[in-house]
Every structure is written in structure tokens, then in C-alpha cells.
Amino acid sequence: SVSYIMLLALVVVAAAPSPRLDLGRMGVGTWAWGNKLLWGYDTGQDAELQAAFGRAVDRGVKFFDTGDSYGTGALEGRAESLLGQFRGELPAQKSENICFGTKLAVYPWRLTPRSFVDACRASLGRMERTQLEVVQAHWSAQRFQPWQEQALWEGLADCYDLGLAKAVGLSNFGPRQLEKCAAYMARREVPVVLNQIQFSLLSTQPEESGLLDVCRQFKITAVAYSPLALGALSGKYSPDRLPPGPRGFVIGQVLSGCRELTGTVDEIARERGKTSAQVALAWTMSKGTLPIVGVRSVSQVDENMGACDFRLSGAEVAELDRKARLVKRPATQNVFMTDELRPRLRPVPVSVAKQLTSPIGRNQMSDEASILAV
């Protein structure tokens, strides 16, 4: 059944403006740029990152995702600064054909719409831009700081009204919260173009919960982050061959319970003359999502873009779906993701249970803590 609030939201959203933004079929994520903890970043990598950025643009990547919290410690905001620098050195025609989206962290001290507007302006300053293509909420405040949610929505809408961004995006919004936020934005005539979700063969909840359906109904692009599950689906690692640090620990935990799945991915890759990573990425695209993949080298860009050169058959997708359901220990879910299961209800009026908990701490909690928490 369909909730009354969703029917109302669909009517309102149908009349909302729709910006002409081409996000392409695959995007680039920059979480690793400036991140020492998980990805071992140092400034000596910047030239290689710029080369990867340039190759991505040349290969047709349109959407580049970042966040104002990306970069550990004193390097917070580093990813935004690098993106802005790299774009600024592109020829004008190439620069005009790409889209930047930055996610504003919902820190506990950002309590007013103005605080999110100020955060957007700070991001623009680091990127040396006067307008973003997409300003995004890094997560919904509903689970941990519900008193912030209204300020967050108003702040994002104000960013659009002030001309700081061409459109609004969301991240980690589950089905119910997405419906409500989309309806609010539509009433203010603010276009919502995307919702970022943790989605891969090791993280299939967005499909099971109905979230992908809600995105389609509202014509919101579902952007799949961590489509290779931190590298667990890249084909580069095994339980006895892992990357160093906390990322290796997480990948090892996951790989120990998904050998049938990775075996099937590898088999399809061999039959298709593709890599395991390309098969895993093609699976996410078969579900109608736009994956964003972290890149740190030209070779990674080339491999990732190879996933756009073919499509999995229906039988291959079905077999991968079946093996994904057999995984004993899926990837840990982002703790900020709201209402994972879509309610089968007729809520009139909608009643939202609000549980107040202590605020979550600063810098990287939206990503590292949520993924590393086991």
C-alpha cells in the first residue's frame, strides 16, 4: 500500500522545478583525498590525483562527489580544495560539462538554517567557485539529532534560493524520510536530484527496503556509494591478502562470509573478459543506480569506466542476487541511514517516533565510524 503522505508528496513534486544536470552513468568519489586514517593520504599523491581527475573527465565522468568533512584532522576540507584546484585548471569547455556535489556534515553545532548556508559558502570558498551544481546533506539528523532536521532542510533550500547551488541532494535518507524531505523541497520549489545510499552486492538493503522504488517514483537519482564495499568486491583481496590498517580488518571480516558471492563475481568476470570490480559495478548499474567510485590513479579510472562498456544479462543479475542473499556477514551499514524498512501503512497523520540521544562527534563520523563499527 502507498501512504497518504507519499501520494501528497508525489503530487507536489510533480510540479517542482527540474534542473538540467547530467550526472552521467558513473561518478567519482573523493573520500580518500585527504584521508590518512583509512586511505593513507599524503600531499605527495596530489599530482597523481590530478592525473586521475583529468582522465575521469576525458572518459566522460560528469559527477564528482565530495564533502566538507573529507580529510582527517587538519586536512579537513582537503578533498574540496583539490577538486576546486583541479577543475580550475581545466579548459572552460570541459569545466562546464561536469558537476560538483559537496555534502555538508550535520555536525551537532549546526543548529540553524544559516549555519548550513555558511557551511556551503565555506565549501565554495575552498573550491574557488561561486555556485555548486549540487549541495547535499551528508546525512539526515533524524536518528541522532532530530531537532536539527528542520534547520537542515531549510538551510539546503536557502542555499538554492540564494543561488549557491543549482540543486539539492541528500544522503543516507531512507524511504520515509526521503518522501517527507522531497515533499518539503517541492513546496519550496527546490529540485532534489539525488539521494546517496550505501549499495553494493554486500549491501543490498536499499533494494529490499523499497528505497530504490521511492527514488524512481520521485525521479531522484539513487547514487550508490561504496559500490565495491571498501575494495572487498574489487577482486584484489582475499582473507590472506588484505590492505593494511582498519580497512584491511573490515574487508577481512566481510570476505570470510561471502566466498560463494565473490566466486560468482570472478566467474562472470572471466567469462566476460572483465575484472571483478567491473562486474560488481555493472550489477549496481543494473539496478538503476549511479555508482560513485573512489579513484586515486589513472589506472583505477580506466578500470572503473570499463564497467560502462557492457551490461549484465538478466540471468547473471539473478544469480548475483541469489548469491548476495547467501552472504553470512554483509557490509556494516551506515549508522546514519534512516528508517531502513519502508512501512506498510496508511499513516494519517504520520506519527514519527523521536528518540533523543547524545550528539555524534566531529569529523568523519558519517563515514569511518559508521563503516568501522561492527
Side-chain angles (χ1 to χ4, degrees), residues 15 44 97 117 151 173 248 257 311:
N97 288 331
V117 171
F173 276 60
R311 294 180 186 273

Side-chain angles (χ1 to χ4, degrees), residues 6 8 67 82 117 135 151 222 263 266 284 297-298 308 313 346 357 374:
M6 183 172 187
L8 176 61
L82 290 173
V117 171
V135 62
D266 293 344
T284 66
S297 67
V298 167
C308 298
S313 69
R346 304 182 192 87
T357 63
V374 178

